[in-house]
Structure formats: C-alpha cells, structure tokens
Amino acid sequence: MDQEYERRLLRQINHQNLPSKACLTKSLGAACSPVSVKSGDRFIPTRAGSNWSINFHYANENCRSPSQNYKAKDAGSDSGKDAVAYAALLRNELLGAGIDSVPDPHGDDRRHAVLTQDSRGLFRYTVHTKRVPFDSDNEVSPYSLSPLSNKSHKLLRSPRKPARKISKIPFKVLDAPELQDDFYLNLVDWSAGNLLSVGLGACVYLWSACTSQVTRLCDLSVDGDSVTSVCWNERGSLVSVGTHKGYVQIWDAAGGRKLTSLEGHSARVGALAWNGEQLSSGSRDRVILQRDVRTPPSAERRLQGHRQEVCGLKWSPDHQHLASGGNDNKLLVWNSSSLLPVQQYSDHLAAVKAIAWSPHQHGLLASGGGTADRCLRFWNTLTGQALQSTDTGSQVCNLAWSKHANELVSTHGYSQNQILVWKYPSLTQVAKLTGHSYRVLYLAVSPDGEAIVTGAGDETLRFWNVFSKTRCTKVRLKRQQA
C-alpha cells in the first residue's frame, strides 16, 4: 500500500474517533453521541435478596389465565380447592411451611397466609445437631416409603369441607301480573306459616309454599285504592296492608277477613314493620306512626325525623330499636321510648330503602343506597361507628341476612338487575344470580332461612336456594370503640 495513502487513511480514522473520546471527558450535563458498549450474551440474575416464599406464591398465581384464576376463587369449585391443597403441599416440601390442613379458599386470612409463613430460604442448608424422634411432626419415619413429610401426610388426610354450590337457576318462577316497578314500595313478604303475600295492583294474594294454592285476600279497587306495602307479623297470623290513600289495614289470613283499618297518614304507606303487637308504618308524608293493634287507634306515637318519603323500616332482633331509611338519604335509629332519633347516619348519597339487622352480632346494622350511591354500609349502633362499606356497582334495593350463617343477600336495580350473596365481614361475593330483566325491587326470606323469593317489574317472582343451614357462632359487638 502507498505510504502516503496509508497516512491519510489513519488521519481520517483518528479524526472520526475524536468526538467519541472527547464526549467521555465532558460533564454529565453536556449532550454527546451515545457510546456503544459491548456486553455478553448471557444474563445471570442476582438472587441474593429474593424472598422465595413470596416469589413462589406469585408464580403460582400469575401463571394462570384470568379465567382460571376466577375458577380457582369460586367457592363451589372443586378444582379451586385442589389447587389450594397442591400449593400447600408444595410449600411444605420446598419451603418447610408446616401446613397440616387445607386452607379455605375464601377464608379471611388466606391472603395473608404467605406473608406469615416461615421466611427460610429455599437453598439454605442446615445441619441437625439434635436427633428428634421419628414420630415428630418435623421428621419422617425411617420405615416410611413416602417422600412426603408428616405435615404433608396430615394435610392430605385432613377432612375436606364439602363444596357449597349455589344454583344459578331459580327452582320456581311464578307470574305476578301488575307487580309495580316502584322503588319505594314493599309488595312481597313471607310469613312464618310459609305463606307468601304479594300486592298486585289493588289486590293482595296469598300463595302457599306447601300446597302451591293461591287465594285472594282483599281487593281495594272497590274503594278506588291500591296496595303499596304488605308485611306479616312474627307469628304469621296477621298481615298488614298499606294503601295508596294512606290507610293501614290489618287482615286475618286464616279467616280472610279485615280486622281493622288504621288512619293517620296523609299519603301512601310504603313501609311496614311489626314489633310484637306493635305496628310501625312509614309514609310519603315523612311521618312514622307506631301503634299497638290491641289498643284504640288514637294511642299512637308519631316519629318525625325524615324530610322526604320513608321507604324502609326494620326492627332489631331484640325489639329495642327501629331503623328507618328515607328518600332524604338518611338512616335513622329510634328507640322504643324517645320521639327523636337516637342515631343518624348521613353517609349515603341516595335513598335508603335496603335495611337489615344482623341476627348474629348484636347492634350490627346493614344498609344500602340507591342509584347515586350504590354502596353497602355497615354500622355499629352500640357506638354509632361506621364499620365497613363496599361499592356494589348498582342500585341497592333490598338486604336480608341469613338466619344460620354470617352471610347476607342483596338485590339490585340499575343497571345490572342482579342478586348478590355476600360473606361477612370479608365482604367477598359468594354468588351472583341473574334472571330478572327489570330492577329486583322485592325480596323475602323463607321461614326455614334457606330460600329467598325476589320480585321485579318484569312481573315475575323467582325462588332461589342461596343459604345453608350451617349455624355460626354469635358474636357481640364491643361497646368501646377500637
């Protein structure tokens, strides 16, 4: 090669490399062209600070598709429980977790189980200096041919809780012509004698769950009136009927005759609630009247606290407190002696029709708000403290607690028209039932506490088996705030 040409070539190459070298000497704030750095073809991660128990949990949960995760979380899915048992078995053998029973997939403490496990590393080698007996939980018998530890054997032998399956299909559907699509009315109730009362237009019909026989109890069209609420007394012998003109009629269901008609309201009576021989009625005139059916009609208590229509009334199981909900977004609690509310809750942003007292925890009250609120809220009425709340995503029309388990059912309107079963206090959804094409405005629980009936503006009554007879232990709320 020509020496002159070689010198020019080397000078040109050095000139092109000068900006890259100068860039390295400039300050960090100066702009320069990027410097290409050669790297190897292998990536070796650093695992010194890894928490293997958490990583194992995430890998086990995230390796499945969303549909598989949903099935694993289903309380009635056998495959979900098998997956939980398999995961616990792996943690025993790989991490020494020492789990000897299958955790409940819907248990309140399941999501915290991983964080409370032993934090020993996966590849930590230890030398046992003290020999323990072979029948201990920490060592396998030398005569055993199984590769599993004693804890894993206990886990596999632990009794499996039978899977609970809630049918998504109603076991009975009845036609209910002229069942009104009105959020503020209460037109369905189930008696202790297994009779269902339904207000259809100007008539009240009784349907026997034992014989499926239908009888017409009363017809208000003669007086130009219509039915706006029905409610059975606790013994199931008397049914009260609220009317559009503001009357409250008491009927003997067995004899099919009207016992009395109570006046006092100036507008429709949309809510009724019995407390022994006393009957409370809430009206659009914003007044709650409390009367004893054994005394003259003049002996009444007038409770005034709502600024708009009263649409929900429920007495507590101990017969000491009355909860009322109104279209003014207020939830009020009254005692049996005062004419003023002893507690007032204003957290809801819409009408409060759905009210239910817990039969398992003394003083626990649940309430649900309308379309603008959509929330379930729980209150400790012993202290006046708000406990929990959850957004259901749709208008809450009714609430009812299970008589046997710490669960409750809610019915919904705009916009999903669904029925939800909740576990308390975790507020996890046990089941979601659909079928009504209109708002599910009416709800009643069977006397045995297993079935519910729902009614909607689609003029149908649907019967569902949602609750089991497994009893739970009663828990009392603390009077002192935590």
Side-chain angles (χ1 to χ4, degrees):
M1 180 183 294
D2 187 11
Q3 294 182 356
E4 183 65 21
Y5 174 75
E6 185 177 359
R7 284 195 298 271
R8 290 200 308 271
L9 184 60
L10 291 174
R11 192 181 307 115
Q12 184 178 2
I13 293 174
N14 292 334
H15 180 71
Q16 291 177 355
N17 290 338
L18 282 177
S20 299
K21 294 179 180 179
C23 174
L24 298 176
T25 60
K26 290 183 179 180
S27 64
L28 294 176
C32 62
S33 60
V35 180
S36 61
V37 180
K38 292 184 178 181
S39 60
D41 60 345
R42 296 183 61 194
F43 171 72
I44 302 177
T46 302
R47 304 185 185 274
S50 299
N51 188 333
W52 284 97
S53 60
I54 295 180
N55 292 344
F56 175 81
H57 170 73
Y58 287 153
N60 187 42
E61 294 291 334
N62 297 333
C63 65
R64 298 173 295 188
S65 63
S67 61
Q68 290 174 326
N69 280 330
Y70 176 79
K71 291 179 180 179
K73 293 178 181 178
D74 188 1
S77 175
D78 292 334
S79 61
K81 291 191 174 183
D82 291 340
V84 172
Y86 181 67
L89 186 66
L90 288 180
R91 290 192 182 97
N92 275 355
E93 299 305 313
L94 298 180
L95 306 176
I99 304 173
D100 57 2
S101 62
V102 181
D104 184 8
H106 280 271
D108 298 335
D109 54 348
R110 161 147 169 75
R111 57 188 172 202
H112 304 294
V114 176
L115 300 179
T116 58
Q117 291 173 0
D118 192 359
S119 59
R120 290 180 294 177
L122 181 63
F123 299 115
R124 176 177 295 180
Y125 300 94
T126 58
V127 178
H128 294 284
T129 58
K130 183 178 180 180
R131 183 90 177 160
V132 293
F134 69 89
D135 58 346
S136 170
D137 289 339
N138 299 321
E139 185 143 341
V140 184
S141 168
Y143 305 105
S144 174
L145 300 179
S146 173
L148 301 179
S149 63
N150 279 0
K151 285 287 187 180
S152 296
H153 279 289
K154 287 186 177 181
L155 185 144
L156 294 176
R157 290 194 303 264
S158 63
R160 296 291 300 275
K161 187 177 181 180
R164 177 186 173 190
K165 295 182 179 179
I166 298 178
S167 175
K168 303 297 180 67
I169 302 173
F171 65 86
K172 184 182 289 292
V173 179
L174 298 178
D175 291 331
E178 297 186 62
L179 185 61
Q180 298 187 52
D181 184 27
D182 193 328
F183 176 79
Y184 300 98
L185 306 185
N186 293 274
L187 298 175
V188 178
D189 198 18
W190 208 330
S191 76
N194 219 3
L195 284 176
L196 188 72
S197 61
V198 186
L200 302 177
C203 300
V204 175
Y205 292 90
L206 303 182
W207 177 80
S208 173
C210 301
T211 64
S212 297
Q213 183 180 0
V214 178
T215 57
R216 187 174 67 179
L217 180 65
C218 64
D219 187 355
L220 306 182
S221 60
V222 179
D223 302 325
D225 210 345
S226 62
V227 180
T228 54
S229 58
V230 294
C231 184
W232 289 94
N233 67 343
E234 295 177 4
R235 291 179 295 179
S237 57
L238 302 179
V239 58
S240 56
V241 180
T243 73
H244 185 77
K245 290 186 176 181
Y247 296 102
V248 177
Q249 300 181 1
I250 310 297
W251 286 77
D252 178 10
R257 61 190 181 92
K258 182 172 65 173
L259 301 180
T260 184
S261 180
L262 304 176
E263 301 179 358
H265 289 291
S266 59
R268 70 180 184 186
V269 180
L272 295 167
W274 286 87
N275 183 29
E277 301 299 332
Q278 295 182 346
L279 177 62
S280 301
S281 57
S283 171
R284 183 183 270 180
D285 62 10
R286 303 170 295 177
V287 177
I288 300 173
L289 294 182
Q290 186 172 327
R291 292 169 279 204
D292 194 319
V293 296
R294 300 167 299 182
T295 61
S298 58
E300 63 182 21
R301 295 177 64 236
R302 297 178 65 89
L303 307 180
Q304 296 178 318
H306 289 283
R307 296 183 178 180
Q308 294 189 39
E309 180 174 5
V310 180
C311 49
L313 284 177
K314 284 292 169 59
W315 277 95
S316 60
D318 61 359
H319 307 285
Q320 298 301 315
H321 292 89
L322 172 68
S324 65
N327 197 36
D328 55 359
N329 310 344
K330 298 292 190 298
L331 175 65
L332 305 181
V333 177
W334 315 75
N335 61 21
S336 56
S337 58
S338 175
L339 297 179
L340 296 176
V342 294
Q343 291 177 2
Q344 176 174 321
Y345 304 104
S346 306
D347 292 11
H348 284 291
L349 303 177
V352 182
K353 176 193 176 186
I355 303 172
W357 291 89
S358 171
H360 312 294
Q361 299 184 20
H362 179 64
L364 176 60
L365 176 63
S367 61
T371 308
D373 183 72
R374 307 174 304 179
C375 289
L376 282 182
R377 300 184 184 274
F378 298 85
W379 318 90
N380 182 352
T381 59
L382 303 180
T383 62
Q385 180 183 9
L387 298 177
Q388 294 169 275
S389 66
T390 182
D391 190 343
T392 65
S394 55
Q395 178 188 44
V396 184
C397 301
N398 292 280
L399 282 175
W401 287 87
S402 168
K403 297 179 180 180
H404 309 296
N406 211 5
E407 298 176 347
L408 70 161
V409 60
S410 60
T411 68
H412 299 268
Y414 300 127
S415 58
Q416 301 183 35
N417 305 329
Q418 61 188 350
I419 303 162
L420 298 177
V421 182
W422 305 84
K423 184 183 291 291
Y424 186 83
S426 62
L427 294 184
T428 56
Q429 288 187 19
V430 179
K432 176 181 178 180
L433 309 176
T434 57
H436 285 289
S437 56
Y438 280 67
R439 297 181 294 174
V440 189
L441 296 176
Y442 310 110
L443 169 69
V445 183
S446 64
D448 63 1
E450 291 191 53
I452 63 170
V453 59
T454 56
D458 55 10
E459 299 185 345
T460 62
L461 295 175
R462 297 174 185 265
F463 295 78
W464 316 78
N465 277 319
V466 296
F467 293 134
S468 63
K469 280 192 174 181
T470 305
R471 287 195 172 273
C472 69
T473 56
K474 290 192 175 183
V475 179
R476 288 188 175 273
L477 292 175
K478 294 182 179 179
R479 289 185 177 273
Q480 293 82 14
Q481 295 187 8

